[in-house]
Every structure is written in C-alpha cells, then in structure tokens.
Amino acid sequence: MINIILNEWKMLVRNRVFIYLTIFFVLSLSLVVWMGINQNSAQQEYRNKAQRHVRTQWDNLEAMNPHRAAHYGSYAFKPNNLLNSMDGGINDITGNVIQLEGHVQNEIVYSEASQSLSISKFGKLKSSLLLQYVIPLFLIFLAYGSISNEKETQRLKLLIFQGIPMTRLVFAKSLSIWIYGSSLLLATVFIQSMLIRSDSEVFRRLTLLVFSYGSYYYIITSLATYFSARLKNNTSALSAILATWILWTIFLPKIWGNAVEKIHPLPSRMAFKAAMKEERSKGIDGHNPSDKRREELKNKYLTEYKVDSLQQLPINFDGIVMQEDEEYGNLVWDKHFGSNYTILQKQKGLYQVSGLLNPFASLQSASMGFCGTDMIHHLDFLKKAEDYRRILIKALNDKHAYGGSKTGDWGWTVDSTFFRSVQGFSYESPKINDQMNYYLIDILCLLWWGLLVTFMIKLNTNKKIIL
Amino acid sequence: MTRYIEIAQSEFVHLVRSPFKTISLILFGAAVIYGCQNGYDLFKTHSNEIISIQANNDKSIANMILQYEEIEQGTIDKPRRDPTIPYWAVWSTPSHAFKYPSPMMVFSLGQSEQYGYYKRVTNWSTIFDSDLAEEIANPERMAIGTLDFNFVLIYLTPILIIILLFNIGGLEKDLRFDNLIYLNNLSKERWLLARFSFYYLLTVLLLLMLITPYALFSGVLQSASLEFFKLLLIISLYLLIWYTAFFFINVSGNGSSDQAVKMISVWLVFCIIIPGAIHQISSLKYPTNYMTDYLDVSRDQSNKIFELPSETLREELLKAFPILQTTLYASDTSVNKAIINRSLSGLVNMLNKDVARTIEWSSEKKNKFIKSFSLLNPVIYFQNEINALTDTDYYAYKRYRSDIQEMIDIKINLILEDTWNKVTVDKEKYIQYVESFKKI
C-alpha cells in the first residue's frame, strides 16, 4: 500500500501543473488566513472600543435615580471568537448589539448583512470557504480519473497482473489524494495557530476541525476514487462525483434547512410579541400606581414591616415594585424566549441528522461549532447577556429599594460611585468540552460516512467487478 | 438555416438519450418551482401579516372613537392617558409603517429576511429601533440561505448549463471523431454555436415556462409587468454571458473531462471565490457598524435634552420648529412644563435624523465600494439587480426607513402644533389624525 501511495506521489510531483497549483493553494490559504485574522482583529478592536465607550458613559453617569439608570441601561456587543477568522458561521447575519435595560429583554440587532447590499451567498473568503468548497473540488479533480485513467490506458490489467489487490489499489489511490488534501488542511491550521494567540482551548478546537475536515476529505476522495473504479470512463466518474458534490453542497443544505423550519416552526414576531405582552400584562405594572397587584404587594410589605402607610416604610416601596415587576417579566421572557431557543435547537438537531445523507451538512455544522460561530454559541451569548441584564437591573432596583430613600421620592439620586461599583458586562465563549454534546451527531455522521465509503470500496471494487 | 435546424434536432435527440442530462433538467425545473414557491409563500406571509395588523389597527381606531363618544357623553371618566390631549391622542392613533411586498418577491427574497417589514411608529420611534429587527428565524438556516428563484438562476443555472454543455464538442474529442465533423464543410465554431444556441433557447424557454405561472398567480403581470419583462431581459443576458464563457472553453477544450473541470472552476471562481473575496475586503475596509453614534443619541444626548431647563427647551423648540412661533403657547410668556415635556420628542427626533443621515451615508460608501467591483463580480451585480427589481434589496429597505421617518415627522408635527395651540382632541380631530397617516 505504502509503495503505491509513494508511487502516486512521485507521479503527482512530476506534474508541473500540480506543483504550481499546490504553491498557489498554499499561498492563497496563507493570504486568506492572514486576511481573516486581520479582519477579525480589526472588528474585535472596534467592538472592544464600543464596549469601552458604553462602559465609560456608565462610569461617568451623573447622579440620577437608580430606576432612571435602569432605563438608561447598557449595551452588550457580541464579541468575535478567535476562530471567527477561520469560519464566520452565522456572525454576518446575526445582530451584534443588544440593549440591556429595565422591564424588557431586547433582541440583538444591527447585523452586518443589513448594513449593505447583498454580497456573497456563500460567505466571506475565509479559510473555511476554501477548505469546504475549493479544496474538495480540487481533490475530486485529482481523484475522478485515478482508476478510470488506468482502465482507459489498459494499465490497470497490468497492475492487477502484478499481483496488486484491486481493493488495495483503490484505497492507496484514494489515500494518496487524501494525504494531499490533509496536508493543505494542516498547513492552514498551522498558519492559523502561528498567527493567533493560541491557548489549549484554541488547540482543542483546531484539533476537532482537523478531524472534521480530514474525515470529509477522506469521504470525498474515497467516493471519487470509488466512482472512478466502478464507472466505465472518466466522464461518467466525473459526472457522478460532481453531481454528488452539487447535491451535497448546494441543494440539500438549502432544501433541508427550509424543511426543518417547516417541521419545527417558530412563531412570527407579531405572535411572539403579542403572547409576551398578554402574559406580561398579568404581572405588576411598575409604572401604574392603580395596578391591583401592586396593591396586594403593598399590603404584604405594610404587614411585614408593621406600618400603616408606605411613607412609614423604612425602605422605598417603588424599588420593590420594580423588582417584582422584573421578576415576573423574567418568568415571561424565560418562557417565550426559552420556547424559541428550544425550537431553534430542535431545528438544529434535525438539520444535523441530515448528515446521515449529506456529510457536507455535518462538516459545515462542525466547522461553525468548533470555530465558535454557530447558533449554539450565539444563543449562549444571548443568555449570558440576559443574565447580566438581570443582575444589573436587580442591583439598581435593590439600591432604589434599600439605598436609603423613601417611597415616592423619585428625586432621590445615587452618584457615579455606585454606578462604577456595578460590574461591567464581560463575555467568554464557552469551552468546547462543555459543548461537545451538540456536535457529537456531526462527528458520528462523518464517521458513518467514512465507514460507508470504506465498505463500499472494500465490497464493490474487486477485480471481477471492475475488469 | 436548414443545417442549424438539423443540428438542433440531433441535439434534441442527444439530450433525450442522456439520462444524466434529462434528470438534471427535471431536477432543475423542480428547483425553479421550489424557489418560486418559497418566494410566493413569503410574499403571502408578509401580505397576510400586514392585513392582520391593519385589521387590528382598525379595531383599535373603532375603540378609540367609541371612547371619545363616551367621554363626550360623560359616560366614562378620562383614562390616565387622556385622549383629549393631543400628545396621547396622537400616541393612541395606530400608525404602522409597512414595507408592502412587491409581487415580484416571488422571484427573489433578496435581503427581505434581514429586515423587519412592519413597525408601530410613535413620536419616539427611530429608524434603527430594535423592533425593526428581522422576523424570528433560524440564523443557521439564514446563513445557509433560502433556495429562491434568484439563487436558482444565479448559481444553479450555470451548473445546469455545465451539465448540458460539458461534453458538447468534448465527447467527439474523447471518441476521436471530431475531425470527421469538420470534414462536412462546417467550422468548429459554427458547429458549437449551433449546438450552444439550442441549449440557450432551451434554458431560457424552460425558465420562462416555469416562472410565468407564478407571475400570473401572484399578480405580477397585473401590477409589475414592466419589472417582469426586465427580469426576463436580465435572465436572457445573464445566461448569454455564461454560454459565451463556456463557448470559449469548449472551442479550446481537450475533451469532456477537461471542459467540465474548466467550467466548474470558472463557476467556482465567479460564484464563490470572487464574491467571497469582495465580501471579505469590504468587511476589512468597512467593519460592521455597532451604531454607537445612534446609541449615544438615544441615551446620552437625549438625556442631556431632558436635563435642560424648560425655558431653554422652549427656545430650542421655537428655533427648531419655526412654525410654532405662530401658536397660542408661543405668544404666552409663562412656562408650561407639560407642553414642553410633550414636545421633547421633536428635539430628540432632530438628533436622530442627523445621526441616521451619517449612518446611511456610511452604508452608502460601503455600497459604492461593493458596486465598484461590478465588472469583476458580475454574478453579484446580477443578483443585486434582480433584488432591486423585486424590491427586496438594501435600497428598498432604505426607502422603507424613509417612510418610517416621514411618519415619525408627521406624528411630531401633529403633537407640536396641536399641543402648542392647546387643542382639545375630540372624535373629529382624532379621525383627522387617523387620516393623516393613511396618506403614507
């Protein structure tokens, strides 16, 4: 086997076009990786500047009532993961800014896609674009004639006559091309890890990426070689593998993506808002003094503090009402946003199952996931931003209630020392080890395909069938 | 001419005898129908949602009118938000700005999934409010994209053409009888041209046949016939460009496989690599805008306005809205805090408009940059041309934002003029308010 692989490599290296193309690929990948890192760093710097700007404004707030500060609120800017430079995933089309304020859980807004004309349907030219579309196609071009050329020139009979088992020959041809694809992949990952500040988390993610892409390359080269062995000539082999590639990369992801949205439908924005508004109206309205539920809460506190009127309370009842309003609102947001998140995860799960038919879907999902740019990471950011909002608003409401003011004293203010004492929003992307359960199905599908093509070659490429 | 017809006839036989090509044609037809159906579904969803909001608004208006009658009859007390005060009357006038879908949306969803298409407008609204976010959708599905007709035309039709053409002239070379053909007093170029013309007509006619029923169902032929004919023109031109490029590949090709490899590489370069590179470069040059200027206006600068003393605010309002100088309150020297407070949205709106201009200008710079690559990036040029025809491109939504702004301005002007003239709103006045928003 090793001899055949070495022989294949010798033949490849003798081909000048192949050498030029390899140099071109390595240079392109280096340039693309470098551009991706630059773009990512510039965007991240811009994002950090925005986050610092907002924090400075918060730190320098003039003295104001804590509830007014809750309305003033803050903003969370979605950070870019380090490996966003490799695969942008959903980052171009999701929003980047989320307003964190009292009474409401806002949605993330201001996506890059909404700020200009439409450009590319397949995303930015990052290394993932080359690794997912260009290199597999190149591997197809190298593999489709690997056996059929031998058949057309009658060299295959000679090789078989020399005692090389047909299956071994097919595997060896396929592996020699796979090694080439994997070398380009490793070169990309190496350049990537050299140019960014890599830690163990980044290495873990890169290792998983190498495994996913490596598996996909194995599937694509093995299948192309298999077609080359089984079909009657070069043209048939090329037609079959190109048709498969088109089906996998262009047709199925879109069709199945649309189908899962129909199987697990999300509510329309109007229905979503109306349902939340309806449930929210059943809670306390912090700004409506004639609200019945507010009366009940008032009586509870008057009894607890054994006083007759709100003025006699040692605390500010307005702050209590606001926090009660928040707690109720949080239940409503958790229910409705939670339901949406559950539907989204069901959709993702169902989409990932399509990997059984389409390994490209598994590759895409794994690539986004391991680069930290998929929906799971996005939802994690949204959840952490919401957790922070709740901490921030509770801190403000508690200050309002227990900070020394009396009920109805809306003129009471706290100064910037207090505002500065409230921690700013910081976000760290989740560790891949804790998220692996989401991507297990992608890995399993890639393994399933790897085994399938191996068995296809093993069982269907003996000399009786081929010759 | 007879010879051309003969070549076309034999090409038809060649096509029918090739299961790979016929299956591809059938699959392609299915993709066109699927794409148009997706567009039609979204068009219907948008239209129905808008109708439903309008129905709710009509109900709300009827309730408000009833409330005015009851207040005038003295059967109910005025609520906390007194509708006889212009500010609350205008606030309670349901006014939604809609981005009405063009029936041409059937042929391209464009950027419609990246924007909201309805918005409840108040005097405090801005054109960058978070309720203008896109419909709730799976972001991964959006990143993968929807299979609409535009996608089928721009990206899949060239692939179909490759399948149809890769062995035209190549098969004869593979089997080494190409020279026999040229012996028949026929040049290679003319022979290929005749065969290519057959496939060109076939694809154009197939597309026309498949999209015309959708144009009929969705009312395109009644309300956007000109746009539809422009679309047909774009389709013809776009396909012609691909056929021309592939013609040159086949003229100089060395067999079917060689031609297929070259064709798919050209597709890859023009459909994936060049657009991806321009996308990346434009992001490097114009990073995503975090809208901090707008955020500053909506928080800090607005707050500064709220902090100003009433006298100063009154002066600012008179300066910003000269029309107020002839109002009742303008001739009054006393300071009425309620009037001033109800007018503040006017000053905030001025700031919002200024910052919106800056943001739109910076987006326009990015668009100009993208458009400057049209020659190098023809695929995206055609894609955006179709989005423009179907009213689903960036500019369609920019126009929608202008409509929203116009509505905000009307709300503010109504509030300012009637508040400063100390108008008491009754049923008739309220109906006037309602009518003033129907004009947009």
Side-chain angles (χ1 to χ4, degrees):
Chain A
M1 174 97 89
I2 292 168
N3 282 339
I4 306 172
I5 295 173
L6 287 174
N7 193 45
E8 281 297 308
W9 268 86
K10 269 183 206 161
M11 299 213 337
L12 284 174
V13 172
R14 275 184 206 148
N15 185 342
R16 274 195 183 177
V17 177
F18 175 79
I19 298 294
Y20 292 148
L21 275 173
T22 304
I23 293 169
F24 171 75
F25 269 129
V26 173
L27 289 177
S28 305
L29 281 166
S30 311
L31 180 71
V32 165
V33 168
W34 178 76
M35 268 170 66
I37 289 169
N38 265 350
Q39 189 262 329
N40 204 40
S41 311
Q43 192 66 54
Q44 188 61 15
E45 182 49 42
Y46 191 33
R47 179 258 168 205
N48 291 344
K49 204 173 139 193
Q51 194 73 67
R52 277 198 303 272
H53 174 71
V54 165
R55 182 64 199 180
T56 310
Q57 285 177 329
W58 178 263
D59 286 346
N60 296 320
L61 271 183
E62 60 194 46
M64 65 167 71
N65 181 278
H67 189 65
R68 209 178 131 201
H71 278 283
Y72 181 87
S74 187
Y75 293 93
F77 298 87
K78 190 178 166 185
N80 279 349
N81 190 304
L82 266 180
L83 293 176
N84 177 58
S85 56
M86 225 177 149
D87 187 338
I90 62 168
N91 285 348
D92 293 348
I93 57 113
T94 56
N96 292 293
V97 185
I98 185 161
Q99 189 177 8
L100 312 169
E101 59 176 333
H103 305 300
V104 62
Q105 176 173 352
N106 286 306
E107 286 174 79
I108 193 159
V109 285
Y110 311 139
S111 67
E112 184 183 353
S114 66
Q115 294 175 4
S116 72
L117 283 165
S118 159
I119 316 178
S120 167
K121 287 266 182 191
F122 294 89
K124 290 174 188 152
L125 185 63
K126 295 193 173 182
S127 37
S128 64
L129 194 82
L130 293 181
L131 293 172
Q132 283 174 20
Y133 294 93
V134 183
I135 291 175
L137 207 55
F138 186 59
L139 298 181
I140 286 174
F141 293 157
L142 288 176
Y144 81 91
S146 55
I147 304 287
S148 52
N149 270 341
E150 307 282 14
K151 274 195 285 188
E152 283 177 11
T153 56
Q154 302 293 319
R155 203 171 151 246
L156 187 63
K157 282 180 185 166
L158 202 66
L159 289 169
I160 301 290
F161 186 67
Q162 285 175 342
I164 301 170
M166 186 66 203
T167 309
R168 195 183 293 171
L169 180 72
V170 175
F171 271 125
K173 293 252 185 195
S174 164
L175 284 177
S176 62
I177 297 162
W178 175 75
I179 290 168
Y180 176 70
S182 301
S183 311
L184 290 176
L185 170 67
L186 287 172
T188 312
V189 168
F190 177 74
I191 300 164
Q192 179 83 27
S193 56
M194 287 293 106
L195 293 178
I196 59 171
R197 185 178 36 81
S198 303
D199 54 19
S200 59
E201 174 67 10
V202 171
F203 273 115
R204 261 194 292 275
R205 285 176 179 268
L206 286 173
T207 309
L208 288 162
L209 282 169
V210 168
F211 172 79
S212 310
Y213 279 95
S215 306
Y216 182 69
Y217 291 172
Y218 175 75
I219 295 161
I220 206 97
T221 49
S222 300
L223 199 65
T225 319
Y226 173 77
F227 284 140
S228 183
R230 287 301 309 266
L231 298 175
K232 61 181 178 186
N233 55 29
N234 269 348
T235 311
S236 307
L238 183 62
S239 306
I241 190 67
L242 278 182
T244 310
W245 182 79
I246 291 163
L247 208 64
W248 281 357
T249 53
I250 316 287
F251 262 105
L252 287 178
K254 283 183 192 292
I255 289 173
W256 191 239
N258 288 346
V260 295
E261 271 202 334
K262 290 192 171 97
I263 296 168
H264 295 298
L266 283 156
S268 71
R269 179 173 296 282
M270 198 167 72
F272 176 66
K273 294 272 179 196
M276 285 203 298
K277 194 177 170 191
E278 166 69 23
E279 287 205 19
R280 192 73 173 78
S281 68
K282 291 175 189 158
I284 284 179
D285 179 353
H287 284 294
N288 185 356
S290 59
D291 187 85
K292 275 183 193 165
R293 287 156 297 245
R294 184 188 162 104
E295 273 303 300
E296 288 165 15
L297 188 72
K298 182 179 107 179
N299 292 334
K300 185 187 150 199
Y301 270 81
L302 292 181
T303 315
E304 192 181 315
Y305 280 88
K306 295 181 181 120
V307 290
D308 302 325
S309 71
L310 291 176
Q311 293 314 312
Q312 292 171 338
L313 275 176
I315 58 168
N316 189 330
F317 182 67
D318 296 324
I320 301 289
V321 174
M322 290 301 168
Q323 188 52 32
E324 195 71 19
D325 177 37
E326 279 298 324
E327 302 286 348
Y328 186 82
N330 293 346
L331 292 175
V332 176
W333 315 139
D334 283 345
K335 182 181 166 189
H336 291 274
F337 278 92
S339 157
N340 280 2
Y341 294 165
T342 308
I343 296 171
L344 286 171
Q345 285 179 359
K346 277 185 189 167
Q347 288 182 348
K348 183 175 172 76
L350 194 57
Y351 182 80
Q352 285 173 303
V353 171
S354 74
L356 287 171
L357 292 173
N358 178 14
F360 182 77
S362 304
L363 174 75
Q364 247 187 347
S365 172
S367 176
M368 281 195 277
F370 298 146
C371 285
T373 55
D374 70 338
M375 192 178 71
I376 300 295
H377 287 76
H378 180 67
L379 293 184
D380 183 76
F381 169 75
L382 295 182
K383 281 176 194 158
K384 299 269 168 66
E386 175 59 13
D387 289 347
Y388 174 75
R389 185 191 76 84
R390 291 177 188 188
I391 292 167
L392 172 74
I393 302 302
K394 186 168 183 337
L396 293 166
N397 284 338
D398 285 352
K399 189 74 181 172
H400 192 183
Y402 306 108
S405 65
K406 287 296 189 77
T407 309
D409 187 4
W410 291 97
W412 182 76
T413 59
V414 283
D415 64 15
S416 58
T417 319
F418 167 72
F419 296 125
R420 275 192 211 118
S421 73
V422 181
Q423 280 266 305
F425 175 69
S426 67
Y427 176 73
E428 210 172 296
S429 195
K431 298 272 181 270
I432 193 63
N433 284 352
D434 304 330
Q435 307 273 312
M436 272 311 285
N437 54 325
Y438 292 110
Y439 310 111
L440 209 59
I441 187 162
D442 298 322
I443 290 177
L444 287 175
C445 286
L446 288 168
L447 284 174
W448 141 253
W449 266 98
L451 287 173
L452 182 72
V453 290
T454 305
F455 280 113
M456 277 163 68
I457 293 175
K458 191 101 184 144
L459 301 176
N460 293 322
T461 57
N462 58 57
K463 63 182 175 191
K464 278 185 195 160
I465 297 171
I466 307 293
L467 294 176
Chain B
M1 189 64 193
T2 323
R3 175 161 275 182
Y4 278 122
I5 293 167
E6 280 170 12
I7 292 173
Q9 279 172 340
S10 67
E11 203 54 58
F12 181 73
V13 175
H14 165 80
L15 175 69
V16 172
R17 282 184 187 164
S18 164
F20 180 48
K21 290 187 180 184
T22 42
I23 291 170
S24 301
L25 263 177
I26 293 165
L27 278 178
F28 176 76
V32 172
I33 293 168
Y34 184 82
C36 289
Q37 189 59 40
N38 271 339
Y40 185 69
D41 287 345
L42 196 69
F43 169 64
K44 279 284 163 205
T45 307
H46 281 203
S47 304
N48 291 340
E49 199 85 330
I50 288 172
I51 290 168
S52 149
I53 295 170
Q54 283 171 331
N56 281 340
N57 285 352
D58 289 345
K59 262 190 227 163
S60 167
I61 290 166
N63 285 341
M64 279 299 291
I65 289 173
L66 193 70
Q67 193 181 38
Y68 276 109
E69 284 169 353
E70 286 174 341
I71 290 171
E72 280 161 26
Q73 287 158 9
T75 48
I76 58 161
D77 291 335
K78 287 176 187 172
R80 190 162 67 104
R81 290 174 171 181
D82 181 359
T84 62
I85 294 171
Y87 183 89
W88 292 117
V90 173
W91 180 270
S92 311
T93 309
S95 37
H96 273 82
F98 297 111
K99 160 78 179 72
Y100 293 97
S102 157
M104 286 288 284
M105 188 191 229
V106 170
F107 302 120
S108 176
L109 303 185
Q111 293 176 262
S112 59
E113 290 186 300
Q114 283 144 16
Y115 300 97
Y117 58 97
Y118 56 85
K119 175 176 169 56
R120 178 176 174 257
V121 177
T122 73
N123 51 313
W124 292 104
S125 294
T126 76
I127 59 169
F128 298 114
D129 284 343
S130 57
D131 61 353
L132 261 175
E134 69 276 8
E135 263 299 313
I136 303 165
N138 185 322
E140 287 187 3
R141 202 270 302 151
M142 283 173 76
I144 293 164
T146 307
L147 192 85
D148 61 350
F149 174 73
N150 192 356
F151 182 86
V152 175
L153 173 74
I154 299 290
Y155 298 94
L156 299 187
T157 315
I159 290 179
L160 174 79
I161 300 172
I162 293 171
I163 292 168
L164 295 176
L165 301 180
F166 80 99
N167 62 354
I168 300 296
L171 183 71
E172 292 75 8
K173 276 179 199 139
D174 293 342
L175 303 173
R176 296 180 185 171
F177 65 85
D178 49 327
N179 286 331
L180 272 178
I181 291 160
Y182 313 134
L183 286 176
N184 293 315
N185 196 23
L186 186 72
S187 78
K188 184 181 179 181
E189 287 78 11
R190 283 190 169 197
W191 175 61
L192 281 180
L193 191 65
R195 297 182 75 182
F196 269 56
S197 331
F198 167 78
Y199 287 107
Y200 176 71
L201 286 174
L202 177 80
T203 38
V204 171
L205 288 174
L206 178 71
L207 285 170
L208 181 66
M209 259 171 51
L210 292 171
I211 67 173
T212 307
Y214 276 97
L216 281 166
F217 291 145
S218 57
V220 165
L221 290 180
Q222 293 92 318
S223 56
S225 52
L226 185 67
E227 282 79 7
F228 184 66
F229 287 113
K230 279 186 191 166
L231 176 68
L232 294 182
L233 201 68
I234 287 178
I235 292 173
S236 315
L237 188 66
Y238 182 69
L239 296 191
L240 189 66
I241 293 173
W242 280 107
Y243 272 94
T244 311
F246 293 152
F247 176 78
F248 288 111
I249 287 175
N250 284 21
V251 164
S252 59
N254 292 320
S256 304
S257 309
D258 171 71
Q259 288 171 185
V261 168
K262 283 178 183 163
M263 282 172 168
I264 204 82
S265 303
V266 169
W267 179 85
L268 197 71
V269 167
F270 280 96
C271 291
I272 298 185
I273 297 179
I274 293 179
I278 291 167
H279 199 164
Q280 179 70 303
I281 294 166
S282 63
S283 290
L284 260 168
K285 196 167 161 67
Y286 301 100
T288 310
N289 192 340
Y290 290 110
M291 312 286 258
T292 42
D293 291 344
Y294 164 71
L295 303 181
D296 284 353
V297 168
S298 69
R299 293 199 319 173
D300 261 33
Q301 294 185 37
S302 301
N303 259 306
K304 278 178 191 151
I305 288 180
F306 301 144
E307 296 292 315
L308 290 172
S310 298
E311 292 82 2
T312 316
L313 287 168
R314 183 188 146 104
E315 290 307 310
E316 291 289 325
L317 281 161
L318 283 167
K319 216 188 295 170
F321 299 93
I323 198 165
L324 295 180
Q325 283 165 0
T326 56
T327 58
L328 273 178
Y329 177 56
S331 56
D332 189 348
T333 48
S334 65
V335 171
N336 184 329
K337 276 196 167 184
I339 290 178
I340 297 296
N341 286 344
R342 285 171 193 146
S343 309
L344 291 183
S345 55
L347 292 176
V348 175
N349 183 45
M350 303 280 277
L351 294 174
N352 281 325
K353 278 162 75 168
D354 285 345
V355 78
R357 263 191 293 275
T358 319
I359 292 168
E360 297 280 17
W361 179 72
S362 85
S363 295
E364 188 50 37
K365 271 207 304 189
K366 187 171 180 178
N367 282 341
K368 275 189 183 159
F369 182 76
I370 294 164
K371 283 195 251 178
S372 69
F373 288 97
S374 291
L375 268 180
L376 186 68
N377 191 16
V379 168
I380 299 305
Y381 168 77
F382 278 98
Q383 179 184 289
N384 283 326
E385 281 300 299
I386 294 174
N387 288 347
L389 273 183
T390 56
D391 212 26
T392 56
D393 66 339
Y394 171 84
Y395 291 105
Y397 287 88
K398 190 180 171 187
R399 287 193 292 277
Y400 172 49
R401 289 197 290 274
S402 301
D403 290 346
I404 295 171
Q405 188 58 60
E406 195 183 334
M407 206 173 247
I408 298 167
D409 292 346
I410 292 177
K411 281 223 156 189
I412 285 170
N413 287 339
L414 286 174
I415 288 175
L416 287 177
E417 283 182 39
D418 289 352
T419 303
W420 283 54
N421 278 317
K422 300 179 180 174
V423 169
T424 301
V425 182
D426 55 10
K427 191 174 105 181
E428 279 67 36
K429 187 75 189 168
Y430 178 74
I431 292 168
Q432 273 179 31
Y433 286 164
V434 172
E435 291 301 318
S436 54
F437 295 110
K438 284 188 177 164
K439 289 167 199 161
I440 297 174

